[in-house]
Amino acid sequence: MNIFEDIGKDDCILFLGEGNFSFSANVIQNLETSGKDVDYCNIYTTCYQSADKDATATKTNNIDYLRSKGVNVLYNVDATNMEGVPDIKDVRFNKVIFMFPHIGGKMKIHLNRELIHGFLASVQNVIADSGLVIITLCKGQGGTPLDPEVRRKDDTWKVLDIAQDNNFMLTDIFNFPAQNFKNYCQVGYRSLQKGFNIQDSMVHVLLYRPTPVFTPTASLDQIRIESTPEREAGEEDLVGKEASQCSSSSVNNSPKNIIKSIDCLTLEADQNLDKVSEERVSFAEREARKDTKSEPLQLCPLIHTHHLSFWYNEPVSLDDLHKVARACLGDIVVDVKFLSEFTDGKRLSKTFEITYKSVRFPLGPKKAFELHYNVLGKSLVNLFQVELR
């Protein structure tokens, strides 16, 4: 059974941007044929237009069929403002399905990105815990590495960037099984009642998972608290014990003593590197794990590289920066490189390159830069009294 029809009896399902309602009608027809026990009163199918807009015999017949099964049919539903729709704002949906979203017209790629952004920002208000958002796009539009038509990034809708900046992670992607929906007649080419090519279209499955809150490290004590994981009662806390010993031997919080303490606090994190590497699975490996109950992992995690430059009084080494980065941001810091040193004749400055990546939660471009500057950068200010450039 495909993801569109994998519906539990008590699941709430929302279809958006239906147009002529042929896709949701076809899904219901398939469910009827399969004999699956589904409460159709929990299914909502919507379109952006008013009831009398683009009225056709196909649209009328589909609406009549859906209503005869008890499906809720709604008009004037803006996918970027679902919290403003009285009939759905208080419902929590297990799946929200948006087939071929498009702003209309030609050569409006920036507006289509804004549509996806607005949709994902709004759907957070109506998605259930562990609910899925399903977006189907024509080949090449999404811009993922798994798309059958790979385009330049600036010629795509940048689905990965937009999704992760809105706290959604891509957990699955596959070709749209058009052969299972033979009564689906998609229209909307250039805002007309005209079909468009859906061959090799891609279904993007997104899971809402907010990025954990990271804050700048203000002191050695804060690093100790935030770096030590919770343990079962009675379990020996070797990292905490070592950290305590390091702390007690440190008479002051000079940079060298701080780094000595962070060394102790990151022992366990370094020991977990093999586990982290194992989690960075390929698409094929992810497919093989679908039937397990393991934590969902992110497909095609974004990689972000940023430079960090600062003036300093006491030298900050590559090893120092790596240890502070791991202590305050964990394993999303995958690489730290020293790039250059500079002086204006009075002060000394260093520039480092830091690379970020996460498979366990969304890490979009905006969030990555925020963590880079406001968490790692300000931690260095707090610990080493550097001045960010």
Side-chain angles (χ1 to χ4, degrees), residues 14 173 184 227 315 320:
L14 175 62
I173 183 170
Y184 175 38
S227 298
D320 294 342

Side-chain angles (χ1 to χ4, degrees), residues 164-165 167 210-217 226 302 304-308 321 324-333 354-358 360-380 388:
Q164 294 189 45
D165 270 335
N167 290 316
T211 303
V213 176
F214 294 92
T215 57
T217 299
E226 294 182 353
L302 296 174
H304 311 277
T305 300
H306 293 292
H307 292 175
L308 188 64
L321 184 55
V324 173
R326 287 296 305 276
C328 65
L329 290 174
D331 59 26
I332 68 171
V333 178
I354 300 94
T355 302
Y356 304 90
K357 174 182 174 182
S358 174
R360 295 181 292 108
F361 52 78
L363 188 62
K366 293 179 181 177
K367 177 60 70 174
F369 183 76
E370 176 188 331
L371 296 178
H372 171 74
Y373 190 84
N374 291 328
V375 177
L376 177 56
K378 292 185 178 179
S379 293
L380 293 177
L388 300 179

Side-chain angles (χ1 to χ4, degrees), residues 1-292:
M1 180 174 293
N2 63 66
I3 195 169
F4 300 102
E5 297 162 17
D6 184 12
I7 300 174
K9 181 177 180 180
D10 298 321
D11 285 352
C12 292
I13 311 297
L14 175 62
F15 293 89
L16 292 167
E18 274 293 272
N20 62 17
F21 295 93
S22 62
F23 184 71
S24 52
N26 205 159
V27 171
I28 302 304
Q29 291 163 359
N30 290 352
L31 290 172
E32 286 280 290
T33 301
S34 69
K36 191 172 179 64
D37 186 13
V38 176
D39 187 349
Y40 296 127
C41 292
N42 291 330
I43 297 179
Y44 294 72
T45 182
T46 73
C47 71
Y48 181 67
Q49 296 87 357
S50 59
D52 56 352
K53 177 71 172 177
D54 297 328
T56 64
T58 298
K59 181 176 180 179
T60 300
N61 290 338
N62 287 332
I63 292 171
D64 290 344
Y65 170 75
L66 290 163
R67 284 178 169 161
S68 73
K69 297 301 178 182
V71 175
N72 302 278
V73 178
L74 305 176
Y75 303 98
N76 300 309
V77 175
D78 183 350
T80 67
N81 186 33
M82 284 174 275
E83 62 275 22
V85 181
D87 290 310
I88 64 175
K89 68 178 184 179
D90 295 322
V91 183
R92 295 298 172 262
F93 294 97
N94 302 94
K95 287 179 183 174
V96 177
I97 300 168
F98 204 168
M99 299 295 294
F100 302 103
H102 199 280
I103 204 68
K106 186 181 180 182
M107 302 302 291
K108 296 181 180 179
I109 196 166
H110 67 290
L111 295 179
N112 286 309
R113 291 174 188 157
E114 290 177 9
L115 171 62
I116 298 299
H117 170 76
F119 162 58
L120 292 177
S122 178
V123 76
Q124 299 175 29
N125 297 296
V126 298
I127 196 73
D129 291 342
S130 300
L132 299 177
V133 170
I134 302 168
I135 304 175
T136 304
L137 298 174
C138 295
K139 67 177 180 179
Q141 288 179 339
T144 75
L146 301 174
D147 203 293
E149 180 180 299
V150 179
R151 303 178 184 174
R152 299 189 326 270
K153 187 172 183 178
D154 61 359
D155 192 31
T156 74
W157 294 13
K158 300 183 179 180
V159 165
L160 291 175
D161 292 35
I162 297 171
Q164 294 189 45
D165 270 335
N166 281 282
N167 290 316
F168 283 91
M169 52 190 280
L170 181 72
T171 59
D172 203 357
I173 183 170
F174 54 89
N175 287 111
F176 173 59
Q179 69 279 5
N180 296 338
F181 302 96
K182 296 181 179 179
N183 294 328
Y184 175 38
C185 49
Q186 68 286 349
V187 295
Y189 177 72
R190 297 191 181 179
S191 302
L192 303 173
Q193 288 297 305
K194 183 178 179 181
F196 52 89
N197 184 16
I198 62 172
Q199 183 177 356
D200 294 328
S201 297
M202 299 300 290
V203 180
H204 305 75
V205 182
L206 307 175
L207 174 68
Y208 181 61
R209 175 172 290 177
T211 303
V213 176
F214 294 92
T215 57
T217 299
S219 67
L220 176 59
D221 288 337
Q222 187 178 357
I223 292 178
R224 183 181 303 113
I225 293 170
E226 294 182 353
S227 298
T228 306
E230 293 183 4
R231 298 174 180 275
E232 296 294 332
E235 184 179 356
E236 186 176 9
D237 189 347
L238 296 178
V239 175
K241 181 179 177 181
E242 293 292 334
S244 177
Q245 291 173 350
C246 290
S247 177
S248 63
S249 65
S250 300
V251 178
N252 59 67
N253 281 350
S254 69
K256 294 304 178 186
N257 281 332
I258 288 174
I259 288 301
K260 182 180 178 183
S261 296
I262 294 175
D263 255 336
C264 299
L265 293 165
T266 55
L267 284 174
E268 184 171 284
D270 288 334
Q271 290 166 357
N272 285 336
L273 280 174
D274 290 340
K275 179 181 178 182
V276 173
S277 298
E278 189 275 335
E279 284 182 340
R280 296 191 176 99
V281 296
S282 67
F283 178 61
E285 291 171 317
R286 175 73 181 108
E287 288 289 290
R289 294 187 183 190
K290 276 185 178 179
D291 295 330
T292 72

